[in-house]
Amino acid sequence: MAAPMPTYSAVVAHASAFLGELIADPLLRRHLLSAAAAADGGGGQHTAATLQALSLISDALDTAPSASPSPSSLRAAERLLLSLPAATPLSCLLSAIASAARRRGGAPSAASAVLDLFVLDPALARHELAPAAFEALFAPRLLPVMRHFATRRASAAAAVASAAQFREDSRSDETAALSAMRVLSLMSGAQAQEMRGLEREYEMVLDVNCKAYALYLKKILETGEAARLSPPPPPPELVFTVGDGDMSAADEEASTDADEGALSCVRDNPMWAEAEGDLYPRQGSIKGRRELMRPPSLYPQRVSPHLIVQQQRQSPQVGRSGRWSPAPRLREEPSPATPSDDSTEDSSIELYTGKQEKHAASPLSKPRKAQPRDDDGAGWARLSPEPSSSPMGGYTDLARQQQQQAASTPKDFVCPITSQVFDDPVTLETGQTYERRAIQEWLDRGNATCPITRQHLNVGTLPKTNYVLKRLIAGWLEQNPPATPVPPITPATPATPAVAVARTPSARMEAPPLPFKINSPSPDNTGSQASAPSPTSVIVQASVESAIGELRAAVSCLCTSEELAESEKSVLRIERLWREAGAAEHAFFSALAKPAVINGFVEILFNSVSAQVLQVAVFQLAELASRDDGVVQTLTRVDTDVDCLVALFKKGLVEAVVLIYLLSPSVEQLVEMDMAEALVAAIRRVEEADAVNMCVKPKAASVILLSQILSEASVGRDTTPPVPRSALVSERFVRSTALVLDAEQVEVRVAAMRILLRCIAEDGHCRSSIVEKLPLGPVLDAFHVVGDADKFDIVRFLSEILKLKKRSAAERVLRAIKEGGSFSMMHTLLVYLQSTTPEQSPVVAGLLLQLDLLVEPRKISMYREEAMDSLVECLKNSDFPRSQLLAAETIMNLPGKFSSSGRPLARSTLLKLARVKERYRPPQSQELSVVRGADGGGGEDDAAAEDKAAWEWERKTAYAVVSHEFGLALEALSECLESKNAELFAASLVCAVWLVHMLSVLPDTGVLGAARVCLLRQLVLVLRSAKHGSDRALAMVALRSFMNDREGMQDIATYIKDVLRTLRELKKSSGLAFEMLKLLSDGQESSIDMWNHKELNQADCSSNGEVTSIVYFKNYIFSGHSDGTLKVWEGSENILRLVQESQEHTKAITSLSILPSEEKLYSGSMDRTIRVWQFRDGLRCAEVHDTRDPVQNLAVATTMACFVPQGAGVKALSWNGGSPRVVNPGKSVRSMALLHGKLFCGCNDGSIQEIDLATGTLAVIQAGNKRILGKSNPVYCLQLHDGLLYTGGAPLDGASVKIWNSTNYNLVGSIPSPAEVRSLVVSADLVYLGSRNGAVEIWSREKLIKIGALQAGGPGCRVQCMAVDADGDVLVVGTSDGKIQVWLLLA
């Protein structure tokens, strides 16, 4: 059968396997390097570059046997070897080793270097340097050549053998030892010369074919992976003979020299050993050499040393006649496929005393005719001992001596069949090495498989001797000479009744002596047997043997069948047999754990498309890998095997993740596999009820692997995250991961917890989903069995899930932590706190303190004291800044107020107390709105209950902190306020302000005075020089708490200048600053220092006439002028810049009005129109309404507008159209204001009316006056503010401004200004009055006292209109001389 076509991956894999064994075995590596050096010229003719490369590679591989070799040394060696002018076997071997040792990316170049060995010196490569590579790469192709010469050799030997008549009963000891020697002894000189020429021709033909095929394989390597897309070129034709001209002069000289002693030369040729037993090649239905060119995952490996069981040997018994008596055979093996009965008895004593091996061996021998004993009286060494009455007894002194010697023998030097040191080792194409005589007898009995791998053997004759191994054994034997066995005489032991055999002297004489007994590793030996099994155990054993026989057939089909369907059926059959194994489970495991079987399963993974078969194959591999590290080594030896598992997992075979987990890949390998998203999908997947019950659940394995990947990603935050944030924080994934916290394995719980910690770090909103599905008991129980690092992760996790928006939910979690678990969590945390590191203790102390505060805080508690001591110690320990920051953040989290994302709201809550105006409020303080209310909007009662619970908790925590050692924590916080670390300063400031504020509401215990001593100077310093306005506002809150008593006021008076100066600056942004300023000024608001105004800018618009109307909206100033021009100015604290102007009105604009809700500007003009302007994308006239009368004044609402015509009354105009209607027709209206459907009118006769536009009802607020001395007393201006109506006019009765209650029309106050008020505007704190002489008076709105004055316009001008911004900080004035002036209120 033709050998399969070689592929790029197969060549690389086979070469890598050979070099991997070479790198792993220092003794073998040194031997091969010495052989290569000697072949190049005795080792003295090598270049300096070669010797230096040899030194670098040897040092790299020998100095770090357990770690990866130095890549720099290997690369340096490769550069030296590339610089050589010509390649030598030593340089090629060094290049191959260096490239293979680099692991990543070096496999192709290593394989090419191995092939160069066969190009340079094929014979040396075959016999000395790379026999394993020859068997794997060249033997499949050269098999016809080998068979051709085997046939010729057998024919020549048969001609000699036919002339001799050998009788089996007359064999001598020498002829029995080696049958080929009997043929050689009959050869004539001519026949020997012919045989010698045949062998010489055989070597030359192999050399020619090896060179040609090596060059062909190198072409495949050069083509690379691209060869998969196109069929490879045909291999070179095989050469079966070479002419005389092809023989070199050296070969001819060797032929001449070999004439002398021809027979001895031929006998010493190791090739003749192949003719032992049957000289003719066997013909049978062998399926071919499929295993030699398998995919990389199925490369046949040598059996690991722990798979070779050292057989116990027992000295043969001596009869009275003095003859050696071998142990009688119990049963004969019926067939190769059925286990022999010997396995039942011999398995009881084939293990080492006191040591259990994972794999046992069972004898598979057939009886042969007796052979005479040796001349020295010692019989053939028997490899299977006699049955003993006890599994641990029956050993003689010789047996113990041999056992000790065997224990010190290297495993690779012992034949797995004979359990003796190799004498003539041969290595089969399966990669296994055996004693030549033993494997030959195995084949003579009709067996066609390798005893260990059970792979079919496809050679007619045995390969040549493994001289490399033989030389290693010879060197070892010189250092460890074997002891001469002198077996003592031991009494015979009675036979077991169930297997009784006659042991009388006559019986011993009649029993034919056996040369040796062959034992091959087999899964049916599971341990020592009882000396007298019961009939029931015999029946069970028979059933076990039957199952094992069926298993062998299935395994053989799996490993040898070329039909995928048959292999798939074998996988399912093996699974069924294993499931039904019962007592034979261990034997099944031993049979399936062989490398060949593992490779068979992997080949199924590569080729099968059946989901059931793939699932079963992965399940069985996972079960094997979970019990035997050798299986893991077999699977990880080739990278493509792992890549196949990853590919299957990504395609939906979730069971594959269990096997990937058992292979224990490194974190770097996990990241390279790019399987994070597949792991997330596996975790989210709902486990099916009928899923395969694997040793590790797929979800658990996925959790562990994903945790490792995320841990690696968290180290390098600048890299691309392995998992998209959306997938990591999805509710389904978070809840599925939370359910894994209930897993049985602690490792799985810890991994799930770490994933949840990462989810919380990505999006804190997932805390609620975690708490909803959280099984706390298993997490708490895990705390008692994990290491310190995992313990701290558990504490961090518990601390994070307490950061909930609902206080009641957080307290439920606290109670679950305190009461859950098998042990007292508080006591456990206390013990852990006393031994943890400074960087971890703040978090532990914070959790312990919260657990303790579930009870009455005034009660003495050692937990509370220990936690507070730890926090204070961390705050004071400046050697650990990270510990200081964590301690401050822990105290800042104690109030228990958090946003839905888990962000602490202590800072925002305190800024609210400072009454910071919205425009000055920092963005983060907007989260304060989420403190109120429940998640689901549970109503006012639920919100009130949450507020009460939050307040009670805040009081508890504050009292616990401030009462510890009479405010010791405050002293530590004052030290932290001096730190240059911005984060530590900010956190400490919030903590200090919160505690001082809470001291003002808690019962007085004297700690407030201690707080002033510790913090007053620091807080004043913050108030005066802090860079951020929010920090200064926080300092104000703390200082305001100190001002509640006389002693506090006296202490603050020490810093009165700095405090007052800063409060004046902050007065415009904070209501608390204004309040404190009044308290410190003894209530004297009239101080001119409190109300400073600074003129920012002015604009001269005299070319447009008078400034008739002004409004201020969102930093924009809109001005109307007497020539009909409308201008838009950009107003801020420092500039006044014209943005746009429009002249669509033809006459003077008399009034402007804005509806903030619609962002529309309305302008009334003497041109008898009202225009509606849009200013979202620049000022644009959107509507024009014809009023048919000049508009003297205008007030607007959403649905209508009221304007004063030139005559009497007021006209109401609907925006929906229609004619305007007249209201209050009996009065000449001068000013008006519209609010909530009610129109307030100020008339020329001094009367004030309120008109309900819906009903037309008119109410008189102030009756009109008659003309005095021919002059009228009109109400020039009118404004509504906070339910009060301000009216301005002439000061005829001593007050130019009157203040009315807009609800009951009562006069509530007046401003006694002597000026005639033509315009007024009201802010939160002040009232501005514009007079006809250009002066602007400033009056306190609360006290109604004058506090200042401003001068607007030029001489003789009057103030026409005024406006202020929403905060009352900017004043804009328009005058009759066309000027616009802007003032800024400083304080």
Side-chain angles (χ1 to χ4, degrees), residues 1233-1253:
L1234 179 62
L1235 181 66
H1236 301 316
K1238 294 183 178 182
L1239 181 66
F1240 296 87
C1241 300
C1243 304
N1244 285 330
D1245 61 356
S1247 64
I1248 304 172
Q1249 298 94 24
E1250 180 196 68
I1251 304 171
D1252 190 335
L1253 297 177

Side-chain angles (χ1 to χ4, degrees), residues 904-913 924-928:
L905 298 178
R907 188 182 187 92
S908 301
T909 306
L910 294 171
L911 286 177
K912 184 180 179 182
L913 296 175
Q924 61 267 26
S925 63
Q926 296 174 0
E927 284 198 11
L928 186 61

Side-chain angles (χ1 to χ4, degrees), residues 341-663:
D341 293 339
D342 293 345
S343 61
T344 306
E345 176 184 289
D346 294 341
S347 62
S348 61
I349 49 177
E350 288 180 350
L351 301 178
Y352 275 118
T353 302
K355 179 177 179 181
Q356 294 182 352
E357 295 286 349
K358 293 182 179 179
H359 303 278
S362 65
L364 293 175
S365 59
K366 281 188 175 182
R368 292 184 55 182
K369 290 186 178 181
Q371 296 184 5
R373 59 182 176 85
D374 294 338
D375 293 338
D376 58 357
W380 287 91
R382 294 176 301 151
L383 303 169
S384 181
E386 276 189 357
S388 174
S389 60
S390 172
M392 312 301 287
Y395 292 118
T396 62
D397 294 338
L398 176 60
R400 296 189 184 95
Q401 182 181 2
Q402 291 175 340
Q403 177 180 339
Q404 294 174 359
Q405 180 179 354
S408 62
T409 304
K411 305 290 185 181
D412 292 336
F413 291 178
V414 178
C415 173
I417 297 179
T418 66
S419 297
Q420 291 182 343
V421 176
F422 284 116
D423 179 55
D424 189 6
V426 291
T427 302
L428 305 183
E429 65 260 30
T430 61
Q432 306 301 324
T433 304
Y434 303 97
E435 179 66 27
R436 180 181 298 278
R437 293 180 293 108
I439 191 62
Q440 184 65 59
E441 182 172 343
W442 167 266
L443 296 175
D444 290 344
R445 293 175 181 165
N447 298 302
T449 59
C450 174
I452 287 183
T453 65
R454 301 301 186 193
Q455 298 178 22
H456 278 274
L457 301 176
N458 302 292
V459 293
T461 56
L462 291 177
K464 296 180 66 174
T465 300
N466 188 337
Y467 288 103
V468 175
L469 181 58
K470 189 169 183 177
R471 290 191 182 95
L472 293 175
I473 295 174
W476 180 81
L477 288 175
E478 290 178 0
Q479 300 177 0
N480 302 275
T484 303
V486 182
I489 299 177
T490 56
T493 56
T496 305
V499 289
V501 178
R503 292 179 179 270
T504 61
S506 60
R508 289 195 297 270
M509 294 293 293
E510 295 174 359
L514 298 178
F516 51 79
K517 189 176 182 179
I518 298 177
N519 295 332
S520 69
S522 174
D524 50 62
N525 261 344
T526 59
S528 300
Q529 304 276 338
S531 59
S534 64
T536 302
S537 65
V538 173
I539 296 174
V540 171
Q541 183 65 28
S543 176
V544 168
E545 292 174 356
S546 175
I548 292 175
E550 190 175 355
L551 175 67
R552 287 176 179 168
V555 168
S556 176
C557 180
L558 171 66
C559 297
T560 60
S561 176
E562 297 181 355
E563 297 294 332
L564 179 61
E566 294 181 2
S567 299
E568 290 178 338
K569 291 179 181 178
S570 299
V571 171
L572 299 177
R573 185 181 177 190
I574 292 172
E575 189 270 339
R576 177 184 60 81
L577 291 171
W578 197 356
R579 187 175 64 250
E580 299 172 355
E585 181 180 4
H586 184 76
F588 274 53
F589 166 75
S590 301
L592 297 176
K594 302 292 190 297
V597 183
I598 299 302
N599 292 334
F601 281 122
V602 175
E603 186 176 10
I604 290 295
L605 297 181
F606 270 100
N607 300 317
S608 179
V609 295
S610 171
Q612 181 187 5
V613 173
L614 291 173
Q615 187 183 54
V616 170
V618 169
F619 164 74
Q620 296 184 68
L621 286 174
E623 290 295 319
L624 295 170
S626 65
R627 306 184 190 184
D628 189 354
D629 292 340
V631 176
V632 175
Q633 295 174 4
T634 302
L635 290 172
T636 56
R637 189 173 285 116
V638 182
D639 291 341
T640 52
D641 293 357
V642 183
D643 295 339
C644 175
L645 291 172
V646 174
L648 291 175
F649 174 58
K650 290 181 179 179
K651 292 179 181 179
L653 186 63
V654 293
E655 290 80 7
V657 73
V658 177
L659 188 52
I660 297 173
Y661 160 70
L662 293 174
L663 298 182

